[in-house]
Amino acid sequence: MRRRMTLLPRLLLEVAMLLALTSAMASAEELSPQRKGELRNLIMQDCGSCHGMTLKGGLGSALRPVDLDGVEEETIARIVLDGVPDKPMPPWRGLLSDSEALWIAHALKAGVVK
Amino acid sequence: MRILRLITFLAALTAYCLAAAAQSQLRGTGDLGIVIERANGSVCVVDTSARAILSCVEGFGDLSHASAVFSRDQRYAYVFGRDGGLTKVDLLEQRIVKRVLQAGNSIGGAISDDGKLIAVSNYKPGGIKVFDAETLNQVADIPASYGADGERSKTVGLVDAPGRRFIFTLYDAGEIWMVDFAEPGEPQITKIGRAGKLPYDALITADGRHYIAGLFGEDGLAHVDLWRSPARIERVLDGYGKGEAKMPVYKMPHLEGWALAGGQFILPAVGHSELLALDAETFKEAGRVKVHGQPVFAIARPDGRQVWVNFAHPLNDTIQVVDVPTLKVVHEFKPGPAILHMEFTPRGHEVWVSVRDANKVEIYDARTFEKRGELEMRKPSGVFFAARANRIGL
């Protein structure tokens, strides 16, 4: 049986979660709708060269939400920015900002790019 | 009422005659080709003489990576899609004849010299599968198993070789294998040897003699001379990037278009803004050309005098043309965002260029560089002309 939280702690928890979420998204929110569109195209077309346009994988690994289950957005963003040593995954730092990489990580995990 | 009936009859008669006329209109397919529409899973059948789209056909699945080979009679194209789909399309009727989903994830394929077998190179499950070109029924399944626990390697660089053979490279295992279908019964598999770290693609020369695999994990290439018996691997251009910082590669180079031009192979370096020239006799370095960015395709005009080069993201809006005898860039232009592929007409009078993010294919005079036409297509990528049917390794 699930224990019902009393109202106050539950409210606090929700506020905390909301704050955490907004701070994580804050940097991503700076991106213009146009830039997000460009990034969506980049994911499908350019990441898609190796990971498949539907992100089911190719030379690179599959990147659907189910494949990224349990992987932190920050970890994904770091791989995007720094690449994988000795593997074809290149570092995108210089072409993508930190917040853009984080937005891509978020978009991949949320499955908003199909 | 009678007049109405007469009109209906005449209309029906006209329609019948038109249909009959259309059916009896004969034409060859030697100047036809296909263009992959990457985002829609469709393929446009094109006429290179009329510089026109005949018809775009849907239903090819995920074509985010795709390539094609052609039947010996040049009527059919076999399209290899990312999703493991092998689709046979009729260029005359512009319709899909047959489609099989033969793996979960694939990269390319080849057709045997007798036109009877279609081989497909797969990532998942790793290996190659071979099909009857007529029916697309499976003829052989060759898992690329390696190591102690028999893991399956992704395969790349699958080409046809003379004598009903296919050669391919194991990406994860770093090996080159050959499979021989010359005799009836079980195909003979020969593991030629170790190529090096992370071979990403390969080609066979137009005479069917030299198979060359490019390496991502090392500066160097693996060369197999098929005229030698037994065939073995020799490393060439080892350490070509020595002392230079490797730059990130945002798109893997492709080796299918490597030119044997003026006695040398011109091919993309990996991680360097350079083309490498390899002497076709000695297999030693014959020179280098500094280019605009990471080359993706270096494709020789069929006469071999010039090589056209496109580049990886983010410099993929540019084409450079290299003069082979002098190894100098003689022309540069920017057709538009995301140039993915270039295909010459068989004797090289024109070249078709796919400009993905402009949603068009542009057609250029391959000598004057003047634009001759442009066709609207949706995210076009690979351009493949039916004349490939007559070329070893394409």
Side-chain angles (χ1 to χ4, degrees):
Chain A
M1 206 167 88
R2 260 171 67 185
R3 236 176 67 198
R4 269 191 75 158
M5 276 188 179
T6 53
L7 188 63
L8 189 64
R10 200 173 131 197
L11 200 68
L12 280 174
L13 186 70
E14 273 176 12
V15 169
M17 277 170 68
L18 197 68
L19 279 174
L21 194 69
T22 42
S23 70
M25 291 301 292
S27 50
E29 270 170 24
E30 289 161 20
L31 303 178
S32 66
Q34 192 204 333
R35 186 60 185 151
K36 286 181 187 172
E38 288 166 7
L39 291 178
R40 237 176 243 123
N41 189 56
L42 181 95
I43 295 174
M44 273 181 67
Q45 302 293 342
D46 297 295
C47 304
S49 297
C50 284
H51 297 280
M53 215 160 54
T54 50
L55 303 172
K56 278 192 274 191
L59 201 64
S61 41
L63 298 178
R64 294 162 301 182
V66 56
D67 306 302
L68 299 172
D69 195 29
V71 187
E72 299 283 332
E73 284 182 13
E74 286 72 19
T75 309
I76 299 167
R78 206 168 54 238
I79 293 172
V80 170
L81 290 170
D82 296 332
V84 182
D86 299 324
K87 291 276 175 193
M89 176 66 189
W92 289 80
R93 201 183 290 284
L95 298 178
L96 296 172
S97 69
D98 289 16
S99 55
E100 287 170 343
L102 205 58
W103 186 86
I104 287 174
H106 179 75
L108 289 174
K109 287 214 40 129
V112 294
V113 183
K114 290 229 167 61
Chain B
M1 253 344 238
R2 269 176 77 176
I3 286 177
L4 196 66
R5 215 181 286 165
L6 188 68
I7 289 172
T8 316
F9 172 73
L10 284 177
L13 189 71
T14 315
Y16 174 78
C17 290
L18 279 175
Q23 269 190 0
S24 65
Q25 213 165 58
L26 297 177
R27 72 154 300 156
T29 55
D31 59 352
L32 300 188
I34 60 168
V35 179
I36 307 291
E37 287 190 313
R38 196 167 188 253
N40 298 71
S42 45
V43 165
C44 298
V45 180
V46 294
D47 178 336
T48 62
S49 298
R51 301 192 194 102
I53 300 172
L54 296 182
S55 173
C56 296
V57 187
E58 314 268 331
F60 287 77
D62 179 356
L63 295 180
S64 57
H65 189 286
S67 65
V69 296
F70 292 86
S71 63
R72 287 190 61 232
D73 63 7
Q74 302 187 37
R75 176 163 179 180
Y76 302 100
Y78 299 88
V79 178
F80 310 100
R82 164 61 80 206
D83 57 1
L86 163 59
T87 313
K88 183 176 178 179
V89 57
D90 184 338
L91 301 184
L92 280 181
E93 296 186 339
Q94 292 122 43
R95 65 180 182 92
I96 291 176
V97 180
K98 185 105 204 227
R99 173 172 163 80
V100 291
L101 218 54
Q102 53 83 41
N105 201 318
S106 51
I107 189 69
I111 184 165
S112 59
D113 56 2
D114 63 356
K116 296 277 200 316
L117 301 172
I118 305 291
V120 194
S121 179
N122 291 324
Y123 280 172
K124 225 184 287 169
I128 71 164
K129 281 188 180 174
V130 182
F131 299 85
D132 181 296
E134 183 70 40
T135 61
L136 300 192
N137 291 335
Q138 187 171 309
V139 173
D141 178 9
I142 300 160
S145 303
Y146 71 104
D149 46 0
E151 215 176 317
R152 293 178 75 150
S153 174
K154 296 183 178 96
T155 59
V156 297
L158 169 65
V159 300
D160 60 289
R164 234 178 177 231
R165 291 178 298 173
F166 295 105
I167 305 182
F168 58 101
T169 295
L170 283 63
Y171 172 78
D172 304 290
E175 293 174 7
I176 297 174
W177 291 13
M178 177 161 65
V179 55
D180 189 329
F181 285 87
E183 304 293 330
E186 285 296 297
Q188 297 296 311
I189 299 167
T190 310
K191 297 175 184 178
I192 297 176
R194 190 167 164 73
K197 264 166 72 181
L198 301 180
Y200 63 90
D201 198 6
L203 67 61
I204 191 163
T205 50
D207 59 4
R209 176 172 177 181
H210 301 286
Y211 181 81
I212 306 168
L215 302 174
F216 185 85
E218 296 173 63
D219 283 346
L221 302 137
H223 165 227
V224 181
D225 180 350
L226 294 164
W227 286 14
R228 292 172 70 149
S229 186
R232 62 187 170 89
I233 293 172
E234 274 170 5
R235 288 286 294 266
V236 293
L237 291 186
D238 262 342
Y240 64 74
K242 232 180 211 149
E244 295 169 40
K246 226 173 177 160
M247 57 178 200
V249 178
Y250 294 107
K251 184 174 170 64
M252 279 289 190
H254 285 60
L255 300 185
E256 154 235 295
W258 283 11
L260 174 60
Q264 47 199 1
F265 300 107
I266 311 287
L267 51 110
V270 179
H272 305 280
S273 299
E274 281 180 340
L275 295 176
L276 307 170
L278 184 63
D279 186 295
E281 283 290 321
T282 62
F283 281 82
K284 302 257 184 284
E285 184 178 327
R288 291 180 189 209
V289 192
K290 281 269 173 229
V291 287
H292 184 61
Q294 168 66 57
V296 175
F297 282 100
I299 299 185
R301 203 171 62 188
D303 66 337
R305 172 69 199 260
Q306 293 183 340
V307 172
W308 288 48
V309 192
N310 71 332
F311 302 96
H313 183 91
L315 300 172
N316 54 2
D317 62 344
T318 301
I319 287 178
Q320 285 185 323
V321 180
V322 173
D323 179 55
V324 172
T326 57
L327 292 182
K328 289 220 158 46
V329 175
V330 291
H331 187 63
E332 177 180 321
F333 65 119
K334 295 186 187 296
I339 295 148
L340 290 196
H341 197 213
M342 300 162 289
E343 176 93 337
F344 286 93
T345 51
R347 298 195 191 193
H349 78 299
E350 287 180 348
V351 57
W352 289 42
V353 175
S354 56
V355 192
R356 186 193 69 200
D357 289 348
N359 292 305
K360 61 188 182 189
V361 167
E362 302 198 336
I363 303 162
Y364 291 89
D365 183 305
R367 282 171 196 282
T368 64
F369 311 121
E370 273 168 51
K371 196 155 140 185
R372 291 273 180 252
E374 80 177 43
L375 299 170
E376 300 261 326
M377 282 181 230
R378 296 163 297 178
K379 301 277 179 196
S381 58
V383 184
F384 306 95
F385 295 160
R388 285 173 175 248
N390 303 319
R391 295 273 311 275
I392 292 171
L394 290 184

